[in-house]
Structure formats: C-alpha cells, structure tokens
Amino acid sequence: MAGRVTARTTNGPISISGSSGEVQANAQNGPISLDDCSGSGEARAVNGPVHISGHSGTYRLSTQNGPISVELDGDRWTGTLDARAVNGPLSLKLS
C-alpha cells in the first residue's frame, strides 16, 4: 500500500500491514502494530505498546507507559529507526 495512512484511536488498537508509503499512527490506551512496512512515518502511543516488524524505512516510534518491540526481518535495518520509550522497555529481535 503506497500513499499516506493516518490512524488515530482512543481505547482501541491500530494495526497497519504492508505499507510502503507514509504512516502516521497515534493511540491512547491502545496498541500500535506496524508489520512489514517499508516506507516512513511515526507511531506514538500513550499507555500502550508499539510494535514494528520489517527491514527498512524511516520510522520514529515513541511510547509513554508502554513497551516498544522491534522485530527485524534479517540482520540489519536499512534506513533510520528511532525508538524512545518512557516508563517502558525496548526490545529488539533479529529473525
């Protein structure tokens, strides 16, 4: 899916898969999941986790009171990945 995706929720999940365009995801009290995305964008959660899987793109991930998990499809990320968690763990898994 190319182009721009904007998603906002309160008390519910956001799940985006296969995007090669720009992603803007904001959740309050809910999880954000970006799977197999290769474009660019930002995912911000308050009181919820942020998960991303893939191998490329330019993404900024942030959460307050929740974990961030990054799952790499391969041994490296091509592009820029900035992940910041306040009051939550950050985990990285190599596939």
Side-chain angles (χ1 to χ4, degrees):
M1 164 181 20
R4 183 180 177 138
V5 175
T6 301
R8 291 182 179 89
T9 186
T10 301
N11 299 321
I14 295 174
S15 180
I16 299 171
S17 181
S19 176
S20 61
E22 183 181 350
V23 172
Q24 296 293 319
N26 293 287
Q28 185 164 347
N29 301 321
I32 298 173
S33 180
L34 305 176
D35 294 307
D36 195 29
C37 293
S38 61
S40 64
E42 185 172 9
R44 294 184 299 183
V46 176
N47 298 325
V50 175
H51 171 80
I52 189 168
S53 68
H55 64 275
S56 66
T58 300
Y59 291 96
R60 175 172 285 169
L61 313 175
S62 64
T63 184
Q64 184 172 353
N65 301 322
I68 294 178
S69 63
V70 177
E71 187 173 345
L72 297 183
D73 296 337
D75 62 353
R76 69 183 326 174
W77 187 270
T78 303
T80 303
L81 184 61
D82 181 10
R84 298 168 192 246
V86 175
N87 260 355
L90 177 60
S91 66
L92 172 64
K93 179 181 177 186
L94 301 176
S95 298

